[in-house]
Amino acid sequence: MKQARTTIIAGNWKMNYGPSRAAQFTMEILPQLNQITHHDYNLLCILCPPAISIPAVHQLLHMGRYTHIELGAQNMYFEEQGAFTGELSPHMVRELCSTVILGHSERRMYFGETDEQVHKKTLAAFKHGLRPIVCIGENLAQYEAGQTEQVIRTQVQGALAQLPEEKLGDLVVAYEPIWAIGTGRAATPEIAGNVTGLIRQLYGEMYGHEAAAALHILYGGSVTVANIGTFIIHPEIDGALVGGASLKPDFVELVRQAAESSLL
Ligand code: PEP
């Protein structure tokens, strides 16, 4: 077996599937997903529907008590409550979810989220017992200019500094090169593995070797049934954040491949 860290597959549905369609799709995939995650596999699957569809999916998961299938939000605000129209508080998210995706590149790109905000949200997630999946990654121009290392360093140091050490075990980082998201042009496992290795190294400089060895780092960017296995077998990659491919019934197959590859 490659490593002791749990393999995590998180499906980011983005702005797709309202409550009825989300419930229908969940019912379609749940029985098979449950069979896979109920095996001996050390695998966790997290479904991240749009906020308005979370209750519908929660109800289905709760009815079946699917212990290795959890629910995540795609974003939240860091304040506890108040006059923040349109936002969700950490407490609200925690009522139905175990996990929250933070700092996704689409949040950064279209809604101006900064590392400082992502840092505040990460602290808020910890405070409320949520598992943050913090997304980082360079854009195409930065990648082509050879600036990946510098961008990753800035994001790790900006979003992940001064976190409470007793909560570090809950943290998940997703390396998502922006040029690979939704483009069909996935990074090679070698590129993804090098950058996840760099993230682990930078994190280790901040929190020590033991914390770095325990950190879960996912890859995201055009992951499909066809390529998931090649990422999972890389020793530095602990799973995937999956966008487009998490909206199709063969997401189940993707999760199966991840489970099987994690045993190699
Ligand atoms: C994502 O939404 O985080 C993502 C990686 O999308 P896709 O898998 O569609 O590239």
Side-chain angles (χ1 to χ4, degrees):
M1 191 181 308
K2 74 167 196 174
Q3 30 127 320
R5 295 184 295 266
T6 304
T7 299
I8 300 175
I9 302 293
N12 174 17
W13 296 2
K14 311 196 189 197
M15 200 172 72
N16 297 287
Y17 295 172
S20 329
R21 182 71 185 100
Q24 191 187 16
F25 178 62
T26 305
M27 282 190 284
E28 231 176 288
I29 60 171
L30 257 187
Q32 282 171 283
L33 262 191
N34 188 42
Q35 270 183 3
I36 299 163
T37 52
H38 242 74
H39 263 267
D40 243 1
Y41 300 125
N42 185 20
L43 181 128
L44 172 66
C45 180
I46 307 169
L47 305 178
C48 305
I52 200 163
S53 303
I54 287 173
V57 179
H58 179 264
Q59 200 180 359
L60 293 167
L61 290 180
H62 196 68
M63 274 164 28
R65 297 178 196 279
Y66 296 100
T67 46
H68 292 95
I69 305 171
E70 296 185 6
L71 199 49
Q74 297 174 15
N75 179 38
M76 69 173 196
Y77 199 45
F78 50 78
E79 293 287 356
E80 301 279 326
Q81 62 172 45
F84 303 102
T85 302
E87 294 293 326
L88 297 177
S89 75
H91 178 70
M92 293 170 188
V93 172
R94 186 64 191 104
E95 275 194 42
L96 299 183
C97 299
S98 65
T99 301
V100 61
I101 299 172
L102 298 176
H104 191 281
S105 61
E106 288 150 16
R107 299 289 322 163
R108 294 174 186 260
M109 225 177 345
Y110 303 130
F111 304 98
E113 274 193 21
T114 61
D115 285 331
E116 194 189 340
Q117 286 168 320
V118 177
H119 182 243
K120 285 185 180 168
K121 290 181 178 197
T122 305
L123 291 174
F126 283 151
K127 186 172 169 198
H128 289 269
L130 284 159
R131 174 194 298 113
I133 300 181
V134 176
C135 303
I136 56 177
E138 78 287 2
N139 65 29
L140 184 61
Q142 292 162 336
Y143 172 69
E144 287 179 342
Q147 294 167 351
T148 301
E149 182 171 340
Q150 189 187 319
V151 172
I152 293 296
R153 187 178 291 273
T154 303
Q155 290 178 335
V156 168
Q157 290 170 351
L160 303 178
Q162 294 175 325
L163 300 177
E165 306 226 346
E166 71 280 7
K167 298 283 189 181
L168 292 180
D170 293 339
L171 180 68
V172 178
V173 175
Y175 168 55
E176 297 211 303
I178 298 169
W179 47 269
I181 298 180
T183 57
R185 180 190 172 193
T188 62
E190 193 190 1
I191 293 174
N194 285 343
V195 182
T196 46
L198 169 68
I199 294 168
R200 203 176 297 285
Q201 179 204 315
L202 294 168
Y203 187 80
E205 288 166 15
M206 291 155 80
Y207 299 108
H209 176 75
E210 223 175 283
L215 178 68
H216 286 84
I217 310 180
L218 315 182
Y219 165 73
S222 297
V223 170
T224 63
V225 185
N227 63 22
I228 182 70
T230 63
F231 291 109
I232 297 297
I233 58 172
H234 195 290
E236 285 292 346
I237 301 175
D238 303 315
L241 181 53
V242 184
S246 71
L247 293 165
K248 301 179 201 145
D250 71 356
F251 178 62
V252 169
E253 202 41 50
L254 189 155
V255 174
R256 189 191 313 281
Q257 299 271 339
E260 285 170 4
S261 304
S262 71
L263 297 175
L264 296 177

